[in-house]
Amino acid sequence: MFGWGRREQSTDTGTIDMLRQELARLGERLEAAESRRDAQLELTRRELAESHETSRKLLKALGRSSLRIEQIEAMVSALGKEANPVDVAPAAAGDIERLLDALDQLDRAVASAAERSLGDLVGGLTGVRDRLDMYTVSLGLTRHRTVGVEVDGALFRVVGTATAEGAAPGAIVEIVRSAVTEGRRLVREGEVIVARENYEDKGQ
Amino acid sequence: MSTPIIGIDLGTTNSVICQLIGGRAEPIPVDGSPIVPSVVLFDGKKVVVGREARNLELQNPARVIRSAKRDLGSDVTYKIGRRNIRPEEVSAEVLRFLASAASAALGTPVRDVVITVPAYFDDAQRQATLRAGELAGLQVLRLLNEPTSASLVYEQVTEAIDAPEVVLVYDLGGGTFDVSILEVFGDVREVLATAGDSRLGGDDFDALLVEHFVEVLKGEEGFEPQSSPSVMARLRRVAEDTKIALSSQLVVSVREEFIGRSGDRDIHLALEIDRSSFDAMIAPLLDRTLLLVARAIADAGLAPADLDRALLVGGSTRIPRVHLVLRDALSDAESDGDDDPVVDIHGEVDVDLAVGLGAAIQAGLLQGAAVSRILVDVASHSLGLLAIGDQDWMGEPDTFAPIISRNTVLPAQRSHTFYTIVDGQQEVAVEVYQGEHPRASRNSRVGSFRHKLVPGPECSPVHATLAYDLDGVVKVTITQPGVAEGTTVEMSVPGATREVAPVEASLIEGKLRALIDGFPPELRAKLEAKLEAFKAAHGRAREALEDDLHELVLELEGDD
C-alpha cells in the first residue's frame, strides 16, 4: 500500500490531488499485476506438482515393468530361442499381459500430457513408451492401436460407439485396449470405440 | 480316418464342441478358445459367428442375434433387413460354425453329433434343436439333457457306487442358472426335477463390482464414469479380473491408471477389495440360487439328506463362496450324529466344459467306443481349522471351518480370513483338522501350532492359507495384514488323497498277480510287496509305482 509522507503535504492542493489520483491508478495497476502474477505462479506450481506426481507414478510403474521385463527375459531365456513365451509359460504370459496393460496406460499418459501441453513430459513419456514397445517387438508381438481405420472384429471388440465428425461409420475413434498379435495369432483381443452409423446420429 | 465322435454343448451364451479320442473327452479349440460365443451376425450375404460376431455386436446391434436358444420352439422371428430368421436358423449357424471349425481342426468331416439341451426343454424346443442340427447338415444321434451330460463326465472322475444315487447338478454360468435333481443307477439317468433363472449368472456378479467401482470414482469431483463408454468398458474388464482373482486371493489390489479426466486432473482408480466384501455383495444373488435349489429338491419329493452328490457346472461355481453356501444349504441339521453329514460336492472337472465333455462321452457310448476313466488326485476329506463359532458360546471352541473342501483337485491352495476375539490378542492356536463334520471334535486332528500376533483391536483379521500337495503334505501359513512375518508349518495328512481310477488299478493288480503266480516264492514275495505298496500309495508316488508296474507287466507279457 502507498501512503503520503509529511513533506508532500506542503505542496498546493491541485497538484496534490492530481498526484494522489495518479498514484492511486498506479497502485491499482500494480495490485492487478501482482494478482495476475500470483495466479500464474499458483497455476505453474500446481502444474509442476501434478507433473511431478504423474512422473513419480509413471516412474514407479516403469520400475515395476522393468522388473517384470527382467523376469520375462529370464523365463524366455530359460525356454530357449524356439520357445513361444505366450503359449508355453502361463506365468510369462501373465507378465506380458501386465506389460501390455502398462503400455496402454503410457499411451494415455502421453495423451493426457499432450492435452495439457506439457511438452517435456510428452517427449519423455513417448521415449519410454517406444522403448518398451521395441521390447514387445523383440518378443515377436505387434500392438495394434491405429485409430481412423475400419474396425476388424477378429482383432477388436467394440465396447461403445460415439459420434465423430468426419469419421466413417465403423471407424475406430478410440482405443480402449490395444490388440496384440504374434504373427497371425491373436495374443490379446483389443477393445475400441467406433464411430456411430449416421442414422443413429439422427436419433433413430 | 474314422468318423470323429463329437458332442456339442449348444449354450445360451456360449457353446462348446468336444470329441472323444482314445477314450478321453477333450474340447476342440475354435478360433483359439474352447468356448465360443453363441452369437451370429447377419451382414448382408455374409454370416459371422462366434467371437467376431460378439465383437461387432455394439456396432451392428440390429444385425446381431444372441441367446436364440431362449426362443427355440417359439413363434419368434428376427427381422434382419428383408429376412425373417427363425431361432433354429440362428442355432443352425452356430452348429455349422462349430462343426466346420472342428472338421478343419481334425482334418475329417464332422457329421454325427450329440447335442445337449436344458432338462426343462419341452417337445417343441427339442424339435427345434433337432431341426437346427439338420439345417447345419448334422446327424443328431441324440439330444442329451445338460445335467445328465454333466453327470456322465463326473462319473469318469468319481468312485463308482453299486446303488442308485440321487445327484444335484448346480449349473451357474455367465448368464443363466439351472439346478436339476437326477436319479442315477447304472446306465439309467432320470431327471426328477429342475428349476432355474434364465437371467442370473456371473455377469451379474461383475455388474455389482462395476457399481462399486463407479461409486468410488464418483468421489472424484466432476467425474461421471457412466457417461463414458470407454471408462465403463475398462471397469467391466477390471471387474471380471477382480472376480477371478478373488477366487484365489483374499485381497485384491485394483489399479487402473488414467481411467478418466476431470478438468485438468487425471483420475486413477485405486482401491483394495477383499473377498468378504465381494461375498457380501453377491450374497443376495446366491440366495436366489439356493431358493431354486430348495424348490427343485422339494419338487423331486426329497429332502437335502436324500442327496448323494452335488455336481458343480458353469464358470461361476469357481467362486469359493458358491461352494460354501451350497454346502451349508445341503447339510442336514438332523444328521448331527452322522460322521459324514453333508452332501459330497464335486468340482473336479473343468466346470466350463463339463456339459460339452459329457456330450462327447455320450456320443462315444452310442457309437460303441471305449470311455476311459479320468485320473485326478483329489482331497479325500475337507481340511480346515478349529474356530470359535455361533454354537460354541457356552463351551469349548469346537467349530470346524473348512478351507480346502473334499474332492478339491490337488495340488490346491486356499485361504480364509479369521478374526481375533479379544482386544490386544497376543497369539492364536492353530489347530488343523480333516473331515466333514461341522464339529471339529468329530473330525481327525492333523496337527497344531501357535502363532504370535501383533496385538490389535478385537475382530482384527488373521489370514490362514492352506497349500495341499499331491504327497499329502499341507503347508499352513498364518499372516496378519500389514505384518511382514508369518508362520508356516508343514504337516502330513493321513489318507490325504484319493485316486479315482479303481478300475485301471485293479486291472494292473490282476494282470500282475496272474503273471507272477508261477514265480519262485522269494521273487513273488518281492513283487507282492511292490503291489501292496502301490495299493497303499497316493499322489506322485502312486503314479511312479503304476508306471513301474506297467513296464513290468509289459516285460513279463513279452517274455511269454
Side-chain angles (χ1 to χ4, degrees), chain B residues 35-69:
Chain B
I35 297 166
V36 180
S38 307
V39 183
V40 182
L41 163 65
F42 293 90
D43 190 9
K45 285 184 180 173
K46 199 172 96 180
V47 177
V48 181
V49 182
R51 191 178 61 81
E52 196 171 336
R54 181 207 58 192
N55 285 355
L56 299 175
E57 184 180 2
L58 268 182
Q59 188 198 354
N60 307 283
R63 293 200 289 267
V64 168
I65 303 172
R66 60 157 58 235
S67 308
K69 182 177 172 182

PDB file of all heavy atoms in Angstrom, chain B residues 35-69:
ATOM      1  N   ILE B  35     -14.253 -72.117 -25.830  1.00  0.00           N
ATOM      2  CA  ILE B  35     -15.568 -71.526 -25.536  1.00  0.00           C
ATOM      3  C   ILE B  35     -15.931 -70.533 -26.643  1.00  0.00           C
ATOM      4  O   ILE B  35     -15.198 -69.576 -26.894  1.00  0.00           O
ATOM      5  CB  ILE B  35     -15.545 -70.851 -24.154  1.00  0.00           C
ATOM      6  CG1 ILE B  35     -15.273 -71.916 -23.088  1.00  0.00           C
ATOM      7  CG2 ILE B  35     -16.846 -70.127 -23.862  1.00  0.00           C
ATOM      8  CD1 ILE B  35     -14.889 -71.369 -21.749  1.00  0.00           C
ATOM      9  N   VAL B  36     -17.042 -70.786 -27.299  1.00  0.00           N
ATOM     10  CA  VAL B  36     -17.425 -69.992 -28.468  1.00  0.00           C
ATOM     11  C   VAL B  36     -18.722 -69.228 -28.172  1.00  0.00           C
ATOM     12  O   VAL B  36     -19.742 -69.849 -27.836  1.00  0.00           O
ATOM     13  CB  VAL B  36     -17.655 -70.922 -29.687  1.00  0.00           C
ATOM     14  CG1 VAL B  36     -18.049 -70.115 -30.922  1.00  0.00           C
ATOM     15  CG2 VAL B  36     -16.412 -71.744 -29.962  1.00  0.00           C
ATOM     16  N   PRO B  37     -18.715 -67.901 -28.266  1.00  0.00           N
ATOM     17  CA  PRO B  37     -19.957 -67.158 -28.020  1.00  0.00           C
ATOM     18  C   PRO B  37     -21.063 -67.585 -28.991  1.00  0.00           C
ATOM     19  O   PRO B  37     -20.829 -67.688 -30.203  1.00  0.00           O
ATOM     20  CB  PRO B  37     -19.558 -65.693 -28.265  1.00  0.00           C
ATOM     21  CG  PRO B  37     -18.081 -65.670 -28.057  1.00  0.00           C
ATOM     22  CD  PRO B  37     -17.579 -67.004 -28.527  1.00  0.00           C
ATOM     23  N   SER B  38     -22.275 -67.833 -28.461  1.00  0.00           N
ATOM     24  CA  SER B  38     -23.399 -68.239 -29.325  1.00  0.00           C
ATOM     25  C   SER B  38     -24.044 -66.978 -29.922  1.00  0.00           C
ATOM     26  O   SER B  38     -25.187 -66.650 -29.626  1.00  0.00           O
ATOM     27  CB  SER B  38     -24.430 -69.021 -28.503  1.00  0.00           C
ATOM     28  OG  SER B  38     -23.827 -70.081 -27.825  1.00  0.00           O
ATOM     29  N   VAL B  39     -23.275 -66.283 -30.734  1.00  0.00           N
ATOM     30  CA  VAL B  39     -23.714 -65.005 -31.303  1.00  0.00           C
ATOM     31  C   VAL B  39     -23.538 -65.070 -32.821  1.00  0.00           C
ATOM     32  O   VAL B  39     -22.528 -65.576 -33.309  1.00  0.00           O
ATOM     33  CB  VAL B  39     -22.876 -63.829 -30.726  1.00  0.00           C
ATOM     34  CG1 VAL B  39     -23.391 -62.498 -31.253  1.00  0.00           C
ATOM     35  CG2 VAL B  39     -22.894 -63.848 -29.207  1.00  0.00           C
ATOM     36  N   VAL B  40     -24.546 -64.561 -33.548  1.00  0.00           N
ATOM     37  CA  VAL B  40     -24.488 -64.607 -35.012  1.00  0.00           C
ATOM     38  C   VAL B  40     -24.749 -63.205 -35.566  1.00  0.00           C
ATOM     39  O   VAL B  40     -25.688 -62.527 -35.154  1.00  0.00           O
ATOM     40  CB  VAL B  40     -25.533 -65.601 -35.582  1.00  0.00           C
ATOM     41  CG1 VAL B  40     -25.420 -65.684 -37.099  1.00  0.00           C
ATOM     42  CG2 VAL B  40     -25.340 -66.987 -34.964  1.00  0.00           C
ATOM     43  N   LEU B  41     -23.881 -62.796 -36.504  1.00  0.00           N
ATOM     44  CA  LEU B  41     -24.033 -61.502 -37.183  1.00  0.00           C
ATOM     45  C   LEU B  41     -24.428 -61.777 -38.635  1.00  0.00           C
ATOM     46  O   LEU B  41     -23.697 -62.472 -39.355  1.00  0.00           O
ATOM     47  CB  LEU B  41     -22.713 -60.729 -37.125  1.00  0.00           C
ATOM     48  CG  LEU B  41     -22.529 -59.557 -38.099  1.00  0.00           C
ATOM     49  CD1 LEU B  41     -23.512 -58.419 -37.804  1.00  0.00           C
ATOM     50  CD2 LEU B  41     -21.100 -59.025 -38.033  1.00  0.00           C
ATOM     51  N   PHE B  42     -25.600 -61.276 -39.037  1.00  0.00           N
ATOM     52  CA  PHE B  42     -26.049 -61.421 -40.425  1.00  0.00           C
ATOM     53  C   PHE B  42     -25.700 -60.121 -41.145  1.00  0.00           C
ATOM     54  O   PHE B  42     -26.395 -59.115 -41.001  1.00  0.00           O
ATOM     55  CB  PHE B  42     -27.557 -61.696 -40.465  1.00  0.00           C
ATOM     56  CG  PHE B  42     -27.924 -63.040 -39.890  1.00  0.00           C
ATOM     57  CD1 PHE B  42     -28.207 -63.184 -38.544  1.00  0.00           C
ATOM     58  CD2 PHE B  42     -27.957 -64.175 -40.703  1.00  0.00           C
ATOM     59  CE1 PHE B  42     -28.536 -64.419 -38.001  1.00  0.00           C
ATOM     60  CE2 PHE B  42     -28.284 -65.421 -40.165  1.00  0.00           C
ATOM     61  CZ  PHE B  42     -28.573 -65.539 -38.814  1.00  0.00           C
ATOM     62  N   ASP B  43     -24.611 -60.159 -41.883  1.00  0.00           N
ATOM     63  CA  ASP B  43     -24.105 -58.949 -42.533  1.00  0.00           C
ATOM     64  C   ASP B  43     -24.276 -59.094 -44.044  1.00  0.00           C
ATOM     65  O   ASP B  43     -23.382 -59.559 -44.739  1.00  0.00           O
ATOM     66  CB  ASP B  43     -22.623 -58.781 -42.163  1.00  0.00           C
ATOM     67  CG  ASP B  43     -22.081 -57.434 -42.602  1.00  0.00           C
ATOM     68  OD1 ASP B  43     -22.880 -56.592 -43.029  1.00  0.00           O
ATOM     69  OD2 ASP B  43     -20.858 -57.231 -42.510  1.00  0.00           O
ATOM     70  N   GLY B  44     -25.458 -58.715 -44.551  1.00  0.00           N
ATOM     71  CA  GLY B  44     -25.756 -58.932 -45.964  1.00  0.00           C
ATOM     72  C   GLY B  44     -25.784 -60.422 -46.230  1.00  0.00           C
ATOM     73  O   GLY B  44     -26.461 -61.170 -45.529  1.00  0.00           O
ATOM     74  N   LYS B  45     -24.975 -60.839 -47.201  1.00  0.00           N
ATOM     75  CA  LYS B  45     -24.956 -62.271 -47.508  1.00  0.00           C
ATOM     76  C   LYS B  45     -23.976 -63.022 -46.607  1.00  0.00           C
ATOM     77  O   LYS B  45     -23.945 -64.246 -46.584  1.00  0.00           O
ATOM     78  CB  LYS B  45     -24.559 -62.475 -48.973  1.00  0.00           C
ATOM     79  CG  LYS B  45     -25.689 -62.119 -49.932  1.00  0.00           C
ATOM     80  CD  LYS B  45     -25.303 -62.423 -51.352  1.00  0.00           C
ATOM     81  CE  LYS B  45     -26.442 -62.055 -52.292  1.00  0.00           C
ATOM     82  NZ  LYS B  45     -26.070 -62.181 -53.711  1.00  0.00           N
ATOM     83  N   LYS B  46     -23.169 -62.253 -45.916  1.00  0.00           N
ATOM     84  CA  LYS B  46     -22.148 -62.872 -45.068  1.00  0.00           C
ATOM     85  C   LYS B  46     -22.713 -63.162 -43.667  1.00  0.00           C
ATOM     86  O   LYS B  46     -23.439 -62.341 -43.119  1.00  0.00           O
ATOM     87  CB  LYS B  46     -20.971 -61.910 -44.946  1.00  0.00           C
ATOM     88  CG  LYS B  46     -19.676 -62.553 -44.501  1.00  0.00           C
ATOM     89  CD  LYS B  46     -18.530 -61.568 -44.603  1.00  0.00           C
ATOM     90  CE  LYS B  46     -18.289 -60.913 -43.258  1.00  0.00           C
ATOM     91  NZ  LYS B  46     -17.221 -59.952 -43.219  1.00  0.00           N
ATOM     92  N   VAL B  47     -22.392 -64.335 -43.155  1.00  0.00           N
ATOM     93  CA  VAL B  47     -22.804 -64.672 -41.786  1.00  0.00           C
ATOM     94  C   VAL B  47     -21.539 -64.843 -40.941  1.00  0.00           C
ATOM     95  O   VAL B  47     -20.643 -65.601 -41.304  1.00  0.00           O
ATOM     96  CB  VAL B  47     -23.635 -65.971 -41.758  1.00  0.00           C
ATOM     97  CG1 VAL B  47     -23.985 -66.345 -40.326  1.00  0.00           C
ATOM     98  CG2 VAL B  47     -24.900 -65.814 -42.583  1.00  0.00           C
ATOM     99  N   VAL B  48     -21.458 -64.105 -39.864  1.00  0.00           N
ATOM    100  CA  VAL B  48     -20.296 -64.197 -38.968  1.00  0.00           C
ATOM    101  C   VAL B  48     -20.777 -64.795 -37.645  1.00  0.00           C
ATOM    102  O   VAL B  48     -21.803 -64.372 -37.111  1.00  0.00           O
ATOM    103  CB  VAL B  48     -19.686 -62.796 -38.729  1.00  0.00           C
ATOM    104  CG1 VAL B  48     -18.465 -62.887 -37.818  1.00  0.00           C
ATOM    105  CG2 VAL B  48     -19.321 -62.135 -40.054  1.00  0.00           C
ATOM    106  N   VAL B  49     -20.025 -65.782 -37.140  1.00  0.00           N
ATOM    107  CA  VAL B  49     -20.459 -66.485 -35.921  1.00  0.00           C
ATOM    108  C   VAL B  49     -19.334 -66.453 -34.878  1.00  0.00           C
ATOM    109  O   VAL B  49     -18.154 -66.449 -35.230  1.00  0.00           O
ATOM    110  CB  VAL B  49     -20.818 -67.961 -36.245  1.00  0.00           C
ATOM    111  CG1 VAL B  49     -21.322 -68.683 -34.991  1.00  0.00           C
ATOM    112  CG2 VAL B  49     -21.847 -68.034 -37.348  1.00  0.00           C
ATOM    113  N   GLY B  50     -19.725 -66.435 -33.627  1.00  0.00           N
ATOM    114  CA  GLY B  50     -18.759 -66.602 -32.547  1.00  0.00           C
ATOM    115  C   GLY B  50     -18.173 -65.295 -32.046  1.00  0.00           C
ATOM    116  O   GLY B  50     -18.851 -64.284 -31.951  1.00  0.00           O
ATOM    117  N   ARG B  51     -16.870 -65.350 -31.747  1.00  0.00           N
ATOM    118  CA  ARG B  51     -16.195 -64.220 -31.109  1.00  0.00           C
ATOM    119  C   ARG B  51     -16.289 -62.942 -31.950  1.00  0.00           C
ATOM    120  O   ARG B  51     -16.577 -61.860 -31.436  1.00  0.00           O
ATOM    121  CB  ARG B  51     -14.719 -64.600 -30.902  1.00  0.00           C
ATOM    122  CG  ARG B  51     -13.923 -63.671 -30.042  1.00  0.00           C
ATOM    123  CD  ARG B  51     -12.505 -64.201 -29.878  1.00  0.00           C
ATOM    124  NE  ARG B  51     -11.794 -64.312 -31.136  1.00  0.00           N
ATOM    125  CZ  ARG B  51     -11.193 -63.297 -31.758  1.00  0.00           C
ATOM    126  NH1 ARG B  51     -11.197 -62.103 -31.232  1.00  0.00           N
ATOM    127  NH2 ARG B  51     -10.565 -63.495 -32.903  1.00  0.00           N
ATOM    128  N   GLU B  52     -16.077 -63.115 -33.259  1.00  0.00           N
ATOM    129  CA  GLU B  52     -16.084 -61.934 -34.126  1.00  0.00           C
ATOM    130  C   GLU B  52     -17.477 -61.290 -34.159  1.00  0.00           C
ATOM    131  O   GLU B  52     -17.607 -60.061 -34.144  1.00  0.00           O
ATOM    132  CB  GLU B  52     -15.626 -62.329 -35.528  1.00  0.00           C
ATOM    133  CG  GLU B  52     -15.238 -61.137 -36.361  1.00  0.00           C
ATOM    134  CD  GLU B  52     -14.577 -61.526 -37.683  1.00  0.00           C
ATOM    135  OE1 GLU B  52     -14.017 -62.638 -37.783  1.00  0.00           O
ATOM    136  OE2 GLU B  52     -14.645 -60.711 -38.618  1.00  0.00           O
ATOM    137  N   ALA B  53     -18.513 -62.126 -34.195  1.00  0.00           N
ATOM    138  CA  ALA B  53     -19.882 -61.593 -34.194  1.00  0.00           C
ATOM    139  C   ALA B  53     -20.152 -60.858 -32.880  1.00  0.00           C
ATOM    140  O   ALA B  53     -20.724 -59.763 -32.873  1.00  0.00           O
ATOM    141  CB  ALA B  53     -20.880 -62.733 -34.376  1.00  0.00           C
ATOM    142  N   ARG B  54     -19.724 -61.460 -31.781  1.00  0.00           N
ATOM    143  CA  ARG B  54     -19.903 -60.803 -30.477  1.00  0.00           C
ATOM    144  C   ARG B  54     -19.154 -59.474 -30.442  1.00  0.00           C
ATOM    145  O   ARG B  54     -19.643 -58.471 -29.937  1.00  0.00           O
ATOM    146  CB  ARG B  54     -19.383 -61.718 -29.364  1.00  0.00           C
ATOM    147  CG  ARG B  54     -19.546 -61.151 -27.975  1.00  0.00           C
ATOM    148  CD  ARG B  54     -18.512 -61.695 -27.018  1.00  0.00           C
ATOM    149  NE  ARG B  54     -17.152 -61.420 -27.473  1.00  0.00           N
ATOM    150  CZ  ARG B  54     -16.055 -61.966 -26.958  1.00  0.00           C
ATOM    151  NH1 ARG B  54     -16.160 -62.833 -25.997  1.00  0.00           N
ATOM    152  NH2 ARG B  54     -14.845 -61.664 -27.417  1.00  0.00           N
ATOM    153  N   ASN B  55     -17.945 -59.467 -31.042  1.00  0.00           N
ATOM    154  CA  ASN B  55     -17.122 -58.254 -31.020  1.00  0.00           C
ATOM    155  C   ASN B  55     -17.775 -57.093 -31.761  1.00  0.00           C
ATOM    156  O   ASN B  55     -17.544 -55.939 -31.432  1.00  0.00           O
ATOM    157  CB  ASN B  55     -15.746 -58.545 -31.623  1.00  0.00           C
ATOM    158  CG  ASN B  55     -14.866 -59.330 -30.672  1.00  0.00           C
ATOM    159  OD1 ASN B  55     -15.258 -59.564 -29.533  1.00  0.00           O
ATOM    160  ND2 ASN B  55     -13.709 -59.742 -31.131  1.00  0.00           N
ATOM    161  N   LEU B  56     -18.550 -57.420 -32.790  1.00  0.00           N
ATOM    162  CA  LEU B  56     -19.128 -56.351 -33.612  1.00  0.00           C
ATOM    163  C   LEU B  56     -20.581 -56.059 -33.242  1.00  0.00           C
ATOM    164  O   LEU B  56     -21.256 -55.279 -33.922  1.00  0.00           O
ATOM    165  CB  LEU B  56     -19.030 -56.737 -35.098  1.00  0.00           C
ATOM    166  CG  LEU B  56     -17.587 -56.929 -35.605  1.00  0.00           C
ATOM    167  CD1 LEU B  56     -17.583 -57.431 -37.041  1.00  0.00           C
ATOM    168  CD2 LEU B  56     -16.797 -55.626 -35.511  1.00  0.00           C
ATOM    169  N   GLU B  57     -21.048 -56.673 -32.180  1.00  0.00           N
ATOM    170  CA  GLU B  57     -22.465 -56.544 -31.804  1.00  0.00           C
ATOM    171  C   GLU B  57     -22.873 -55.093 -31.537  1.00  0.00           C
ATOM    172  O   GLU B  57     -23.911 -54.629 -32.018  1.00  0.00           O
ATOM    173  CB  GLU B  57     -22.744 -57.394 -30.570  1.00  0.00           C
ATOM    174  CG  GLU B  57     -24.208 -57.396 -30.180  1.00  0.00           C
ATOM    175  CD  GLU B  57     -24.477 -58.242 -28.942  1.00  0.00           C
ATOM    176  OE1 GLU B  57     -23.534 -58.796 -28.374  1.00  0.00           O
ATOM    177  OE2 GLU B  57     -25.655 -58.323 -28.558  1.00  0.00           O
ATOM    178  N   LEU B  58     -22.051 -54.374 -30.812  1.00  0.00           N
ATOM    179  CA  LEU B  58     -22.421 -52.993 -30.468  1.00  0.00           C
ATOM    180  C   LEU B  58     -22.417 -52.085 -31.692  1.00  0.00           C
ATOM    181  O   LEU B  58     -23.134 -51.099 -31.742  1.00  0.00           O
ATOM    182  CB  LEU B  58     -21.455 -52.426 -29.429  1.00  0.00           C
ATOM    183  CG  LEU B  58     -21.849 -52.606 -27.976  1.00  0.00           C
ATOM    184  CD1 LEU B  58     -20.828 -51.954 -27.069  1.00  0.00           C
ATOM    185  CD2 LEU B  58     -23.218 -51.987 -27.704  1.00  0.00           C
ATOM    186  N   GLN B  59     -21.603 -52.440 -32.666  1.00  0.00           N
ATOM    187  CA  GLN B  59     -21.547 -51.637 -33.884  1.00  0.00           C
ATOM    188  C   GLN B  59     -22.753 -51.930 -34.779  1.00  0.00           C
ATOM    189  O   GLN B  59     -23.235 -51.052 -35.490  1.00  0.00           O
ATOM    190  CB  GLN B  59     -20.243 -51.955 -34.640  1.00  0.00           C
ATOM    191  CG  GLN B  59     -19.995 -51.029 -35.810  1.00  0.00           C
ATOM    192  CD  GLN B  59     -18.985 -51.622 -36.777  1.00  0.00           C
ATOM    193  OE1 GLN B  59     -18.392 -52.672 -36.513  1.00  0.00           O
ATOM    194  NE2 GLN B  59     -18.797 -50.968 -37.900  1.00  0.00           N
ATOM    195  N   ASN B  60     -23.222 -53.185 -34.732  1.00  0.00           N
ATOM    196  CA  ASN B  60     -24.333 -53.607 -35.598  1.00  0.00           C
ATOM    197  C   ASN B  60     -25.458 -54.241 -34.790  1.00  0.00           C
ATOM    198  O   ASN B  60     -25.825 -55.385 -35.045  1.00  0.00           O
ATOM    199  CB  ASN B  60     -23.834 -54.658 -36.607  1.00  0.00           C
ATOM    200  CG  ASN B  60     -22.643 -54.209 -37.386  1.00  0.00           C
ATOM    201  OD1 ASN B  60     -22.775 -53.420 -38.305  1.00  0.00           O
ATOM    202  ND2 ASN B  60     -21.472 -54.694 -37.027  1.00  0.00           N
ATOM    203  N   PRO B  61     -25.996 -53.561 -33.818  1.00  0.00           N
ATOM    204  CA  PRO B  61     -26.970 -54.233 -32.931  1.00  0.00           C
ATOM    205  C   PRO B  61     -28.174 -54.791 -33.676  1.00  0.00           C
ATOM    206  O   PRO B  61     -28.722 -55.820 -33.267  1.00  0.00           O
ATOM    207  CB  PRO B  61     -27.384 -53.122 -31.955  1.00  0.00           C
ATOM    208  CG  PRO B  61     -26.970 -51.847 -32.580  1.00  0.00           C
ATOM    209  CD  PRO B  61     -25.812 -52.149 -33.460  1.00  0.00           C
ATOM    210  N   ALA B  62     -28.555 -54.152 -34.765  1.00  0.00           N
ATOM    211  CA  ALA B  62     -29.748 -54.600 -35.481  1.00  0.00           C
ATOM    212  C   ALA B  62     -29.485 -55.837 -36.330  1.00  0.00           C
ATOM    213  O   ALA B  62     -30.419 -56.452 -36.835  1.00  0.00           O
ATOM    214  CB  ALA B  62     -30.272 -53.467 -36.358  1.00  0.00           C
ATOM    215  N   ARG B  63     -28.218 -56.185 -36.508  1.00  0.00           N
ATOM    216  CA  ARG B  63     -27.912 -57.325 -37.371  1.00  0.00           C
ATOM    217  C   ARG B  63     -27.344 -58.512 -36.587  1.00  0.00           C
ATOM    218  O   ARG B  63     -26.921 -59.498 -37.169  1.00  0.00           O
ATOM    219  CB  ARG B  63     -26.916 -56.896 -38.453  1.00  0.00           C
ATOM    220  CG  ARG B  63     -27.504 -55.888 -39.441  1.00  0.00           C
ATOM    221  CD  ARG B  63     -26.706 -55.863 -40.721  1.00  0.00           C
ATOM    222  NE  ARG B  63     -25.405 -55.250 -40.545  1.00  0.00           N
ATOM    223  CZ  ARG B  63     -25.147 -53.963 -40.760  1.00  0.00           C
ATOM    224  NH1 ARG B  63     -26.111 -53.155 -41.146  1.00  0.00           N
ATOM    225  NH2 ARG B  63     -23.946 -53.484 -40.604  1.00  0.00           N
ATOM    226  N   VAL B  64     -27.295 -58.368 -35.282  1.00  0.00           N
ATOM    227  CA  VAL B  64     -26.706 -59.429 -34.462  1.00  0.00           C
ATOM    228  C   VAL B  64     -27.785 -60.107 -33.620  1.00  0.00           C
ATOM    229  O   VAL B  64     -28.648 -59.447 -33.042  1.00  0.00           O
ATOM    230  CB  VAL B  64     -25.600 -58.846 -33.548  1.00  0.00           C
ATOM    231  CG1 VAL B  64     -25.179 -59.862 -32.493  1.00  0.00           C
ATOM    232  CG2 VAL B  64     -24.394 -58.443 -34.380  1.00  0.00           C
ATOM    233  N   ILE B  65     -27.733 -61.445 -33.561  1.00  0.00           N
ATOM    234  CA  ILE B  65     -28.671 -62.195 -32.715  1.00  0.00           C
ATOM    235  C   ILE B  65     -27.866 -63.013 -31.715  1.00  0.00           C
ATOM    236  O   ILE B  65     -26.941 -63.735 -32.089  1.00  0.00           O
ATOM    237  CB  ILE B  65     -29.576 -63.126 -33.553  1.00  0.00           C
ATOM    238  CG1 ILE B  65     -30.338 -62.297 -34.596  1.00  0.00           C
ATOM    239  CG2 ILE B  65     -30.557 -63.878 -32.654  1.00  0.00           C
ATOM    240  CD1 ILE B  65     -31.093 -63.125 -35.587  1.00  0.00           C
ATOM    241  N   ARG B  66     -28.205 -62.850 -30.444  1.00  0.00           N
ATOM    242  CA  ARG B  66     -27.590 -63.669 -29.390  1.00  0.00           C
ATOM    243  C   ARG B  66     -28.700 -64.319 -28.566  1.00  0.00           C
ATOM    244  O   ARG B  66     -29.848 -63.908 -28.633  1.00  0.00           O
ATOM    245  CB  ARG B  66     -26.674 -62.840 -28.510  1.00  0.00           C
ATOM    246  CG  ARG B  66     -27.362 -61.686 -27.777  1.00  0.00           C
ATOM    247  CD  ARG B  66     -26.585 -61.272 -26.563  1.00  0.00           C
ATOM    248  NE  ARG B  66     -25.221 -60.853 -26.854  1.00  0.00           N
ATOM    249  CZ  ARG B  66     -24.147 -61.394 -26.261  1.00  0.00           C
ATOM    250  NH1 ARG B  66     -24.311 -62.363 -25.382  1.00  0.00           N
ATOM    251  NH2 ARG B  66     -22.937 -60.952 -26.530  1.00  0.00           N
ATOM    252  N   SER B  67     -28.354 -65.358 -27.839  1.00  0.00           N
ATOM    253  CA  SER B  67     -29.287 -66.064 -26.944  1.00  0.00           C
ATOM    254  C   SER B  67     -30.528 -66.581 -27.689  1.00  0.00           C
ATOM    255  O   SER B  67     -31.616 -66.600 -27.117  1.00  0.00           O
ATOM    256  CB  SER B  67     -29.707 -65.161 -25.779  1.00  0.00           C
ATOM    257  OG  SER B  67     -28.595 -64.632 -25.132  1.00  0.00           O
ATOM    258  N   ALA B  68     -30.366 -66.984 -28.941  1.00  0.00           N
ATOM    259  CA  ALA B  68     -31.510 -67.509 -29.704  1.00  0.00           C
ATOM    260  C   ALA B  68     -32.072 -68.767 -29.052  1.00  0.00           C
ATOM    261  O   ALA B  68     -33.243 -69.106 -29.256  1.00  0.00           O
ATOM    262  CB  ALA B  68     -31.084 -67.808 -31.140  1.00  0.00           C
ATOM    263  N   LYS B  69     -31.255 -69.413 -28.233  1.00  0.00           N
ATOM    264  CA  LYS B  69     -31.698 -70.643 -27.574  1.00  0.00           C
ATOM    265  C   LYS B  69     -32.939 -70.398 -26.717  1.00  0.00           C
ATOM    266  O   LYS B  69     -33.788 -71.275 -26.585  1.00  0.00           O
ATOM    267  CB  LYS B  69     -30.540 -71.161 -26.713  1.00  0.00           C
ATOM    268  CG  LYS B  69     -30.811 -72.461 -25.994  1.00  0.00           C
ATOM    269  CD  LYS B  69     -29.553 -72.887 -25.253  1.00  0.00           C
ATOM    270  CE  LYS B  69     -29.819 -74.072 -24.358  1.00  0.00           C
ATOM    271  NZ  LYS B  69     -28.612 -74.453 -23.611  1.00  0.00           N
TER     272      LYS B  69
END
